[in-house]
Amino acid sequence: MICDLLAYKGAASNADLSGIRKRIVECDEMRNILAHSTWVRDPIHDAFRLVKTTGQWQPTPSHPPKIKRKVHPEAVLFEAPEAVALNDKLRLLLKEIEQWAAEFQLP
């Protein structure tokens, strides 16, 4: 919508708006996973996992593709390194958005 409004007003931007949008969607999807998944501790590996129960996935190469997670939940590793990587991604995205917004500030 922002891109449409900029085009309507004839405003130009140097920012990679499609890239920013893509990264926002990725972060939003990760936020939804973190907020709506069940957290469990994997006793075998002594690691935290997020149990995803929506959507579809392929548990192993030998499984048929697109098994519903409601039938066969997926446990995804999420510990400190994954949290740090997400935090870094969010910080970079915020800088990008701030730089883009600075193009439109009045002197």
Side-chain angles (χ1 to χ4, degrees):
M1 182 176 181
I2 291 171
C3 295
D4 292 341
L5 290 172
L6 289 172
Y8 177 75
K9 288 290 189 177
S13 174
N14 296 324
D16 175 15
L17 295 180
S18 63
I20 290 173
R21 181 185 187 284
K22 178 183 171 192
R23 288 182 284 286
I24 288 172
V25 168
E26 289 171 2
C27 290
D28 184 53
E29 288 173 358
M30 193 64 217
R31 178 259 172 225
N32 289 337
I33 291 169
L34 290 172
H36 299 292
S37 295
T38 303
W39 289 79
V40 296
R41 184 174 267 295
D42 179 350
I44 296 170
H45 300 100
D46 193 34
F48 283 110
R49 302 221 180 237
L50 295 170
V51 179
K52 296 170 26 176
T53 57
T54 60
Q56 300 176 343
W57 72 303
Q58 186 171 3
T60 65
S62 63
H63 270 83
K66 297 187 178 183
I67 300 291
K68 288 186 178 183
R69 286 191 181 110
K70 286 183 181 180
V71 174
H72 195 313
E74 177 184 12
V76 179
L77 182 67
F78 194 90
E79 289 198 309
E82 290 79 17
V84 168
L86 177 59
N87 186 46
D88 292 345
K89 185 181 239 182
L90 287 166
R91 286 180 185 273
L92 288 172
L93 177 59
L94 185 56
K95 279 185 182 180
E96 229 180 331
I97 292 169
E98 289 170 345
Q99 289 171 353
W100 171 69
E103 292 181 27
F104 300 99
Q105 292 184 357
L106 299 174

